[in-house]
mmCIF file with all atom_site columns, all heavy atoms in Angstrom:
data_model
loop_
_atom_site.group_PDB
_atom_site.id
_atom_site.type_symbol
_atom_site.label_atom_id
_atom_site.label_alt_id
_atom_site.label_comp_id
_atom_site.label_asym_id
_atom_site.label_entity_id
_atom_site.label_seq_id
_atom_site.pdbx_PDB_ins_code
_atom_site.Cartn_x
_atom_site.Cartn_y
_atom_site.Cartn_z
_atom_site.occupancy
_atom_site.B_iso_or_equiv
_atom_site.pdbx_formal_charge
_atom_site.auth_seq_id
_atom_site.auth_comp_id
_atom_site.auth_asym_id
_atom_site.auth_atom_id
_atom_site.pdbx_PDB_model_num
ATOM 1   N N   . GLN A 1 105 ? 97.607  120.489 114.549 1.00 0.00 ? 324 GLN A N   1
ATOM 2   C CA  . GLN A 1 105 ? 97.940  120.636 115.999 1.00 0.00 ? 324 GLN A CA  1
ATOM 3   C C   . GLN A 1 105 ? 98.951  119.603 116.439 1.00 0.00 ? 324 GLN A C   1
ATOM 4   O O   . GLN A 1 105 ? 99.857  119.903 117.245 1.00 0.00 ? 324 GLN A O   1
ATOM 5   C CB  . GLN A 1 105 ? 96.658  120.477 116.791 1.00 0.00 ? 324 GLN A CB  1
ATOM 6   C CG  . GLN A 1 105 ? 95.581  121.530 116.537 1.00 0.00 ? 324 GLN A CG  1
ATOM 7   C CD  . GLN A 1 105 ? 94.292  121.255 117.173 1.00 0.00 ? 324 GLN A CD  1
ATOM 8   O OE1 . GLN A 1 105 ? 94.140  120.313 117.977 1.00 0.00 ? 324 GLN A OE1 1
ATOM 9   N NE2 . GLN A 1 105 ? 93.269  122.120 116.974 1.00 0.00 ? 324 GLN A NE2 1
ATOM 10  N N   . TRP A 1 106 ? 98.886  118.399 115.877 1.00 0.00 ? 325 TRP A N   1
ATOM 11  C CA  . TRP A 1 106 ? 99.881  117.377 116.199 1.00 0.00 ? 325 TRP A CA  1
ATOM 12  C C   . TRP A 1 106 ? 101.260 117.746 115.703 1.00 0.00 ? 325 TRP A C   1
ATOM 13  O O   . TRP A 1 106 ? 102.262 117.570 116.439 1.00 0.00 ? 325 TRP A O   1
ATOM 14  C CB  . TRP A 1 106 ? 99.385  116.049 115.530 1.00 0.00 ? 325 TRP A CB  1
ATOM 15  C CG  . TRP A 1 106 ? 100.378 114.918 115.716 1.00 0.00 ? 325 TRP A CG  1
ATOM 16  C CD1 . TRP A 1 106 ? 100.527 114.079 116.804 1.00 0.00 ? 325 TRP A CD1 1
ATOM 17  C CD2 . TRP A 1 106 ? 101.290 114.475 114.747 1.00 0.00 ? 325 TRP A CD2 1
ATOM 18  N NE1 . TRP A 1 106 ? 101.468 113.206 116.552 1.00 0.00 ? 325 TRP A NE1 1
ATOM 19  C CE2 . TRP A 1 106 ? 102.011 113.334 115.336 1.00 0.00 ? 325 TRP A CE2 1
ATOM 20  C CE3 . TRP A 1 106 ? 101.677 114.856 113.442 1.00 0.00 ? 325 TRP A CE3 1
ATOM 21  C CZ2 . TRP A 1 106 ? 103.023 112.655 114.663 1.00 0.00 ? 325 TRP A CZ2 1
ATOM 22  C CZ3 . TRP A 1 106 ? 102.692 114.185 112.797 1.00 0.00 ? 325 TRP A CZ3 1
ATOM 23  C CH2 . TRP A 1 106 ? 103.332 113.076 113.380 1.00 0.00 ? 325 TRP A CH2 1
ATOM 24  N N   . LEU A 1 107 ? 101.332 118.330 114.486 1.00 0.00 ? 326 LEU A N   1
ATOM 25  C CA  . LEU A 1 107 ? 102.580 118.778 113.943 1.00 0.00 ? 326 LEU A CA  1
ATOM 26  C C   . LEU A 1 107 ? 103.270 119.838 114.861 1.00 0.00 ? 326 LEU A C   1
ATOM 27  O O   . LEU A 1 107 ? 104.453 119.774 115.117 1.00 0.00 ? 326 LEU A O   1
ATOM 28  C CB  . LEU A 1 107 ? 102.460 119.301 112.536 1.00 0.00 ? 326 LEU A CB  1
ATOM 29  C CG  . LEU A 1 107 ? 102.250 118.303 111.419 1.00 0.00 ? 326 LEU A CG  1
ATOM 30  C CD1 . LEU A 1 107 ? 101.989 119.049 110.115 1.00 0.00 ? 326 LEU A CD1 1
ATOM 31  C CD2 . LEU A 1 107 ? 103.455 117.465 111.225 1.00 0.00 ? 326 LEU A CD2 1
ATOM 32  N N   . ALA A 1 108 ? 102.446 120.758 115.275 1.00 0.00 ? 327 ALA A N   1
ATOM 33  C CA  . ALA A 1 108 ? 102.981 121.847 116.103 1.00 0.00 ? 327 ALA A CA  1
ATOM 34  C C   . ALA A 1 108 ? 103.455 121.249 117.428 1.00 0.00 ? 327 ALA A C   1
ATOM 35  O O   . ALA A 1 108 ? 104.505 121.707 117.951 1.00 0.00 ? 327 ALA A O   1
ATOM 36  C CB  . ALA A 1 108 ? 101.902 122.891 116.340 1.00 0.00 ? 327 ALA A CB  1
ATOM 37  N N   . LYS A 1 109 ? 102.707 120.303 117.945 1.00 0.00 ? 328 LYS A N   1
ATOM 38  C CA  . LYS A 1 109 ? 103.150 119.663 119.212 1.00 0.00 ? 328 LYS A CA  1
ATOM 39  C C   . LYS A 1 109 ? 104.430 118.950 119.087 1.00 0.00 ? 328 LYS A C   1
ATOM 40  O O   . LYS A 1 109 ? 105.321 118.997 119.938 1.00 0.00 ? 328 LYS A O   1
ATOM 41  C CB  . LYS A 1 109 ? 102.022 118.748 119.704 1.00 0.00 ? 328 LYS A CB  1
ATOM 42  C CG  . LYS A 1 109 ? 102.303 118.089 121.034 1.00 0.00 ? 328 LYS A CG  1
ATOM 43  C CD  . LYS A 1 109 ? 101.237 117.145 121.446 1.00 0.00 ? 328 LYS A CD  1
ATOM 44  C CE  . LYS A 1 109 ? 101.502 116.452 122.759 1.00 0.00 ? 328 LYS A CE  1
ATOM 45  N NZ  . LYS A 1 109 ? 100.403 115.460 123.123 1.00 0.00 ? 328 LYS A NZ  1
ATOM 46  N N   . VAL A 1 110 ? 104.591 118.175 117.991 1.00 0.00 ? 329 VAL A N   1
ATOM 47  C CA  . VAL A 1 110 ? 105.813 117.400 117.736 1.00 0.00 ? 329 VAL A CA  1
ATOM 48  C C   . VAL A 1 110 ? 107.023 118.318 117.673 1.00 0.00 ? 329 VAL A C   1
ATOM 49  O O   . VAL A 1 110 ? 108.074 118.054 118.291 1.00 0.00 ? 329 VAL A O   1
ATOM 50  C CB  . VAL A 1 110 ? 105.691 116.588 116.423 1.00 0.00 ? 329 VAL A CB  1
ATOM 51  C CG1 . VAL A 1 110 ? 107.060 116.024 116.061 1.00 0.00 ? 329 VAL A CG1 1
ATOM 52  C CG2 . VAL A 1 110 ? 104.713 115.475 116.627 1.00 0.00 ? 329 VAL A CG2 1
ATOM 53  N N   . GLY A 1 111 ? 106.881 119.482 116.968 1.00 0.00 ? 330 GLY A N   1
ATOM 54  C CA  . GLY A 1 111 ? 108.000 120.411 116.859 1.00 0.00 ? 330 GLY A CA  1
ATOM 55  C C   . GLY A 1 111 ? 108.351 121.014 118.180 1.00 0.00 ? 330 GLY A C   1
ATOM 56  O O   . GLY A 1 111 ? 109.584 121.077 118.545 1.00 0.00 ? 330 GLY A O   1
ATOM 57  N N   . ALA A 1 112 ? 107.352 121.361 118.998 1.00 0.00 ? 331 ALA A N   1
ATOM 58  C CA  . ALA A 1 112 ? 107.633 121.930 120.314 1.00 0.00 ? 331 ALA A CA  1
ATOM 59  C C   . ALA A 1 112 ? 108.284 120.908 121.239 1.00 0.00 ? 331 ALA A C   1
ATOM 60  O O   . ALA A 1 112 ? 109.226 121.242 121.983 1.00 0.00 ? 331 ALA A O   1
ATOM 61  C CB  . ALA A 1 112 ? 106.336 122.476 120.915 1.00 0.00 ? 331 ALA A CB  1
ATOM 62  N N   . GLU A 1 113 ? 107.808 119.682 121.205 1.00 0.00 ? 332 GLU A N   1
ATOM 63  C CA  . GLU A 1 113 ? 108.363 118.658 122.036 1.00 0.00 ? 332 GLU A CA  1
ATOM 64  C C   . GLU A 1 113 ? 109.832 118.386 121.792 1.00 0.00 ? 332 GLU A C   1
ATOM 65  O O   . GLU A 1 113 ? 110.628 118.164 122.633 1.00 0.00 ? 332 GLU A O   1
ATOM 66  C CB  . GLU A 1 113 ? 107.593 117.312 121.862 1.00 0.00 ? 332 GLU A CB  1
ATOM 67  C CG  . GLU A 1 113 ? 106.221 117.324 122.584 1.00 0.00 ? 332 GLU A CG  1
ATOM 68  C CD  . GLU A 1 113 ? 105.469 116.080 122.305 1.00 0.00 ? 332 GLU A CD  1
ATOM 69  O OE1 . GLU A 1 113 ? 105.861 115.280 121.385 1.00 0.00 ? 332 GLU A OE1 1
ATOM 70  O OE2 . GLU A 1 113 ? 104.431 115.840 122.938 1.00 0.00 ? 332 GLU A OE2 1
ATOM 71  N N   . ARG A 1 114 ? 110.182 118.440 120.447 1.00 0.00 ? 333 ARG A N   1
ATOM 72  C CA  . ARG A 1 114 ? 111.604 118.163 120.107 1.00 0.00 ? 333 ARG A CA  1
ATOM 73  C C   . ARG A 1 114 ? 112.531 119.236 120.646 1.00 0.00 ? 333 ARG A C   1
ATOM 74  O O   . ARG A 1 114 ? 113.647 118.938 121.158 1.00 0.00 ? 333 ARG A O   1
ATOM 75  C CB  . ARG A 1 114 ? 111.722 118.055 118.592 1.00 0.00 ? 333 ARG A CB  1
ATOM 76  C CG  . ARG A 1 114 ? 113.168 117.797 118.153 1.00 0.00 ? 333 ARG A CG  1
ATOM 77  C CD  . ARG A 1 114 ? 113.785 116.582 118.744 1.00 0.00 ? 333 ARG A CD  1
ATOM 78  N NE  . ARG A 1 114 ? 115.188 116.482 118.450 1.00 0.00 ? 333 ARG A NE  1
ATOM 79  C CZ  . ARG A 1 114 ? 115.948 115.508 118.927 1.00 0.00 ? 333 ARG A CZ  1
ATOM 80  N NH1 . ARG A 1 114 ? 115.488 114.596 119.751 1.00 0.00 ? 333 ARG A NH1 1
ATOM 81  N NH2 . ARG A 1 114 ? 117.250 115.578 118.626 1.00 0.00 ? 333 ARG A NH2 1
ATOM 82  N N   . LEU A 1 115 ? 112.099 120.514 120.562 1.00 0.00 ? 334 LEU A N   1
ATOM 83  C CA  . LEU A 1 115 ? 112.910 121.590 121.076 1.00 0.00 ? 334 LEU A CA  1
ATOM 84  C C   . LEU A 1 115 ? 113.031 121.383 122.607 1.00 0.00 ? 334 LEU A C   1
ATOM 85  O O   . LEU A 1 115 ? 114.129 121.698 123.142 1.00 0.00 ? 334 LEU A O   1
ATOM 86  C CB  . LEU A 1 115 ? 112.316 122.891 120.703 1.00 0.00 ? 334 LEU A CB  1
ATOM 87  C CG  . LEU A 1 115 ? 112.327 123.282 119.201 1.00 0.00 ? 334 LEU A CG  1
ATOM 88  C CD1 . LEU A 1 115 ? 111.557 124.560 118.993 1.00 0.00 ? 334 LEU A CD1 1
ATOM 89  C CD2 . LEU A 1 115 ? 113.736 123.332 118.677 1.00 0.00 ? 334 LEU A CD2 1
ATOM 90  N N   . ASP A 1 116 ? 112.005 121.011 123.261 1.00 0.00 ? 335 ASP A N   1
ATOM 91  C CA  . ASP A 1 116 ? 112.098 120.818 124.720 1.00 0.00 ? 335 ASP A CA  1
ATOM 92  C C   . ASP A 1 116 ? 113.014 119.634 124.989 1.00 0.00 ? 335 ASP A C   1
ATOM 93  O O   . ASP A 1 116 ? 113.778 119.661 125.998 1.00 0.00 ? 335 ASP A O   1
ATOM 94  C CB  . ASP A 1 116 ? 110.711 120.421 125.311 1.00 0.00 ? 335 ASP A CB  1
ATOM 95  C CG  . ASP A 1 116 ? 109.751 121.650 125.304 1.00 0.00 ? 335 ASP A CG  1
ATOM 96  O OD1 . ASP A 1 116 ? 110.285 122.783 125.196 1.00 0.00 ? 335 ASP A OD1 1
ATOM 97  O OD2 . ASP A 1 116 ? 108.542 121.478 125.363 1.00 0.00 ? 335 ASP A OD2 1
ATOM 98  N N   . GLN A 1 117 ? 112.989 118.606 124.177 1.00 0.00 ? 336 GLN A N   1
ATOM 99  C CA  . GLN A 1 117 ? 113.874 117.408 124.412 1.00 0.00 ? 336 GLN A CA  1
ATOM 100 C C   . GLN A 1 117 ? 115.313 117.707 124.273 1.00 0.00 ? 336 GLN A C   1
ATOM 101 O O   . GLN A 1 117 ? 116.167 117.058 124.868 1.00 0.00 ? 336 GLN A O   1
ATOM 102 C CB  . GLN A 1 117 ? 113.399 116.288 123.472 1.00 0.00 ? 336 GLN A CB  1
ATOM 103 C CG  . GLN A 1 117 ? 112.058 115.679 123.819 1.00 0.00 ? 336 GLN A CG  1
ATOM 104 C CD  . GLN A 1 117 ? 111.472 114.834 122.716 1.00 0.00 ? 336 GLN A CD  1
ATOM 105 O OE1 . GLN A 1 117 ? 112.098 114.609 121.670 1.00 0.00 ? 336 GLN A OE1 1
ATOM 106 N NE2 . GLN A 1 117 ? 110.216 114.464 122.861 1.00 0.00 ? 336 GLN A NE2 1
ATOM 107 N N   . ILE A 1 118 ? 115.629 118.689 123.375 1.00 0.00 ? 337 ILE A N   1
ATOM 108 C CA  . ILE A 1 118 ? 117.038 119.077 123.219 1.00 0.00 ? 337 ILE A CA  1
ATOM 109 C C   . ILE A 1 118 ? 117.579 119.635 124.556 1.00 0.00 ? 337 ILE A C   1
ATOM 110 O O   . ILE A 1 118 ? 118.710 119.431 124.920 1.00 0.00 ? 337 ILE A O   1
ATOM 111 C CB  . ILE A 1 118 ? 117.185 120.123 122.111 1.00 0.00 ? 337 ILE A CB  1
ATOM 112 C CG1 . ILE A 1 118 ? 116.892 119.452 120.738 1.00 0.00 ? 337 ILE A CG1 1
ATOM 113 C CG2 . ILE A 1 118 ? 118.589 120.671 122.073 1.00 0.00 ? 337 ILE A CG2 1
ATOM 114 C CD1 . ILE A 1 118 ? 116.840 120.412 119.585 1.00 0.00 ? 337 ILE A CD1 1
ATOM 115 N N   . GLN A 1 119 ? 116.695 120.439 125.244 1.00 0.00 ? 338 GLN A N   1
ATOM 116 C CA  . GLN A 1 119 ? 117.036 120.985 126.507 1.00 0.00 ? 338 GLN A CA  1
ATOM 117 C C   . GLN A 1 119 ? 117.074 119.930 127.622 1.00 0.00 ? 338 GLN A C   1
ATOM 118 O O   . GLN A 1 119 ? 117.868 120.042 128.587 1.00 0.00 ? 338 GLN A O   1
ATOM 119 C CB  . GLN A 1 119 ? 116.083 122.141 126.857 1.00 0.00 ? 338 GLN A CB  1
ATOM 120 C CG  . GLN A 1 119 ? 116.037 123.263 125.859 1.00 0.00 ? 338 GLN A CG  1
ATOM 121 C CD  . GLN A 1 119 ? 117.397 123.957 125.646 1.00 0.00 ? 338 GLN A CD  1
ATOM 122 O OE1 . GLN A 1 119 ? 118.101 124.145 126.582 1.00 0.00 ? 338 GLN A OE1 1
ATOM 123 N NE2 . GLN A 1 119 ? 117.709 124.309 124.426 1.00 0.00 ? 338 GLN A NE2 1
ATOM 124 N N   . ASP A 1 120 ? 116.177 118.962 127.532 1.00 0.00 ? 339 ASP A N   1
ATOM 125 C CA  . ASP A 1 120 ? 116.010 117.956 128.583 1.00 0.00 ? 339 ASP A CA  1
ATOM 126 C C   . ASP A 1 120 ? 115.874 116.582 127.925 1.00 0.00 ? 339 ASP A C   1
ATOM 127 O O   . ASP A 1 120 ? 114.813 116.165 127.591 1.00 0.00 ? 339 ASP A O   1
ATOM 128 C CB  . ASP A 1 120 ? 114.807 118.250 129.429 1.00 0.00 ? 339 ASP A CB  1
ATOM 129 C CG  . ASP A 1 120 ? 114.669 117.249 130.577 1.00 0.00 ? 339 ASP A CG  1
ATOM 130 O OD1 . ASP A 1 120 ? 115.547 116.333 130.713 1.00 0.00 ? 339 ASP A OD1 1
ATOM 131 O OD2 . ASP A 1 120 ? 113.703 117.426 131.429 1.00 0.00 ? 339 ASP A OD2 1
ATOM 132 N N   . PRO A 1 121 ? 116.980 115.815 127.728 1.00 0.00 ? 340 PRO A N   1
ATOM 133 C CA  . PRO A 1 121 ? 116.935 114.499 126.965 1.00 0.00 ? 340 PRO A CA  1
ATOM 134 C C   . PRO A 1 121 ? 116.028 113.534 127.682 1.00 0.00 ? 340 PRO A C   1
ATOM 135 O O   . PRO A 1 121 ? 115.528 112.578 127.019 1.00 0.00 ? 340 PRO A O   1
ATOM 136 C CB  . PRO A 1 121 ? 118.427 114.058 127.088 1.00 0.00 ? 340 PRO A CB  1
ATOM 137 C CG  . PRO A 1 121 ? 119.192 115.321 127.253 1.00 0.00 ? 340 PRO A CG  1
ATOM 138 C CD  . PRO A 1 121 ? 118.336 116.224 128.085 1.00 0.00 ? 340 PRO A CD  1
ATOM 139 N N   . GLU A 1 122 ? 115.715 113.651 128.961 1.00 0.00 ? 341 GLU A N   1
ATOM 140 C CA  . GLU A 1 122 ? 114.809 112.707 129.618 1.00 0.00 ? 341 GLU A CA  1
ATOM 141 C C   . GLU A 1 122 ? 113.426 112.784 129.022 1.00 0.00 ? 341 GLU A C   1
ATOM 142 O O   . GLU A 1 122 ? 112.714 111.750 129.035 1.00 0.00 ? 341 GLU A O   1
ATOM 143 C CB  . GLU A 1 122 ? 114.689 113.046 131.125 1.00 0.00 ? 341 GLU A CB  1
ATOM 144 C CG  . GLU A 1 122 ? 115.986 112.669 131.905 1.00 0.00 ? 341 GLU A CG  1
ATOM 145 C CD  . GLU A 1 122 ? 115.755 112.813 133.400 1.00 0.00 ? 341 GLU A CD  1
ATOM 146 O OE1 . GLU A 1 122 ? 114.607 113.034 133.808 1.00 0.00 ? 341 GLU A OE1 1
ATOM 147 O OE2 . GLU A 1 122 ? 116.776 112.791 134.114 1.00 0.00 ? 341 GLU A OE2 1
ATOM 148 N N   . LEU A 1 123 ? 113.032 113.868 128.414 1.00 0.00 ? 342 LEU A N   1
ATOM 149 C CA  . LEU A 1 123 ? 111.729 114.004 127.828 1.00 0.00 ? 342 LEU A CA  1
ATOM 150 C C   . LEU A 1 123 ? 111.659 113.120 126.548 1.00 0.00 ? 342 LEU A C   1
ATOM 151 O O   . LEU A 1 123 ? 110.580 112.542 126.236 1.00 0.00 ? 342 LEU A O   1
ATOM 152 C CB  . LEU A 1 123 ? 111.445 115.461 127.418 1.00 0.00 ? 342 LEU A CB  1
ATOM 153 C CG  . LEU A 1 123 ? 111.258 116.428 128.575 1.00 0.00 ? 342 LEU A CG  1
ATOM 154 C CD1 . LEU A 1 123 ? 111.140 117.868 128.022 1.00 0.00 ? 342 LEU A CD1 1
ATOM 155 C CD2 . LEU A 1 123 ? 110.029 116.059 129.402 1.00 0.00 ? 342 LEU A CD2 1
ATOM 156 N N   . SER A 1 124 ? 112.785 112.986 125.818 1.00 0.00 ? 343 SER A N   1
ATOM 157 C CA  . SER A 1 124 ? 112.812 112.122 124.666 1.00 0.00 ? 343 SER A CA  1
ATOM 158 C C   . SER A 1 124 ? 112.568 110.646 125.040 1.00 0.00 ? 343 SER A C   1
ATOM 159 O O   . SER A 1 124 ? 111.830 109.947 124.365 1.00 0.00 ? 343 SER A O   1
ATOM 160 C CB  . SER A 1 124 ? 114.164 112.273 123.969 1.00 0.00 ? 343 SER A CB  1
ATOM 161 O OG  . SER A 1 124 ? 114.218 111.466 122.766 1.00 0.00 ? 343 SER A OG  1
ATOM 162 N N   . VAL A 1 125 ? 113.205 110.241 126.127 1.00 0.00 ? 344 VAL A N   1
ATOM 163 C CA  . VAL A 1 125 ? 113.024 108.820 126.609 1.00 0.00 ? 344 VAL A CA  1
ATOM 164 C C   . VAL A 1 125 ? 111.602 108.655 127.028 1.00 0.00 ? 344 VAL A C   1
ATOM 165 O O   . VAL A 1 125 ? 110.978 107.622 126.682 1.00 0.00 ? 344 VAL A O   1
ATOM 166 C CB  . VAL A 1 125 ? 113.997 108.608 127.782 1.00 0.00 ? 344 VAL A CB  1
ATOM 167 C CG1 . VAL A 1 125 ? 113.649 107.212 128.385 1.00 0.00 ? 344 VAL A CG1 1
ATOM 168 C CG2 . VAL A 1 125 ? 115.438 108.691 127.299 1.00 0.00 ? 344 VAL A CG2 1
ATOM 169 N N   . HIS A 1 126 ? 111.014 109.627 127.708 1.00 0.00 ? 345 HIS A N   1
ATOM 170 C CA  . HIS A 1 126 ? 109.637 109.525 128.175 1.00 0.00 ? 345 HIS A CA  1
ATOM 171 C C   . HIS A 1 126 ? 108.690 109.394 126.933 1.00 0.00 ? 345 HIS A C   1
ATOM 172 O O   . HIS A 1 126 ? 107.725 108.613 126.989 1.00 0.00 ? 345 HIS A O   1
ATOM 173 C CB  . HIS A 1 126 ? 109.233 110.786 128.976 1.00 0.00 ? 345 HIS A CB  1
ATOM 174 C CG  . HIS A 1 126 ? 107.826 110.764 129.409 1.00 0.00 ? 345 HIS A CG  1
ATOM 175 N ND1 . HIS A 1 126 ? 107.320 109.929 130.435 1.00 0.00 ? 345 HIS A ND1 1
ATOM 176 C CD2 . HIS A 1 126 ? 106.732 111.521 129.042 1.00 0.00 ? 345 HIS A CD2 1
ATOM 177 C CE1 . HIS A 1 126 ? 106.021 110.105 130.654 1.00 0.00 ? 345 HIS A CE1 1
ATOM 178 N NE2 . HIS A 1 126 ? 105.650 111.096 129.790 1.00 0.00 ? 345 HIS A NE2 1
ATOM 179 N N   . GLN A 1 127 ? 108.939 110.179 125.886 1.00 0.00 ? 346 GLN A N   1
ATOM 180 C CA  . GLN A 1 127 ? 108.115 110.109 124.685 1.00 0.00 ? 346 GLN A CA  1
ATOM 181 C C   . GLN A 1 127 ? 108.149 108.740 124.056 1.00 0.00 ? 346 GLN A C   1
ATOM 182 O O   . GLN A 1 127 ? 107.166 108.200 123.604 1.00 0.00 ? 346 GLN A O   1
ATOM 183 C CB  . GLN A 1 127 ? 108.456 111.213 123.704 1.00 0.00 ? 346 GLN A CB  1
ATOM 184 C CG  . GLN A 1 127 ? 107.531 111.249 122.444 1.00 0.00 ? 346 GLN A CG  1
ATOM 185 C CD  . GLN A 1 127 ? 106.148 111.538 122.839 1.00 0.00 ? 346 GLN A CD  1
ATOM 186 O OE1 . GLN A 1 127 ? 105.843 112.498 123.557 1.00 0.00 ? 346 GLN A OE1 1
ATOM 187 N NE2 . GLN A 1 127 ? 105.231 110.689 122.342 1.00 0.00 ? 346 GLN A NE2 1
ATOM 188 N N   . ALA A 1 128 ? 109.350 108.215 123.961 1.00 0.00 ? 347 ALA A N   1
ATOM 189 C CA  . ALA A 1 128 ? 109.534 106.894 123.392 1.00 0.00 ? 347 ALA A CA  1
ATOM 190 C C   . ALA A 1 128 ? 108.793 105.828 124.184 1.00 0.00 ? 347 ALA A C   1
ATOM 191 O O   . ALA A 1 128 ? 108.125 104.925 123.620 1.00 0.00 ? 347 ALA A O   1
ATOM 192 C CB  . ALA A 1 128 ? 111.056 106.505 123.328 1.00 0.00 ? 347 ALA A CB  1
#
Side-chain angles (χ1 to χ4, degrees):
Q324 295 173 5
W325 176 81
L326 283 174
K328 182 181 177 183
V329 168
E332 284 176 348
R333 177 57 188 175
L334 292 176
D335 289 342
Q336 289 164 8
I337 292 173
Q338 301 299 322
D339 184 358
E341 287 187 10
L342 293 175
S343 181
V344 174
H345 178 72
Q346 184 60 53

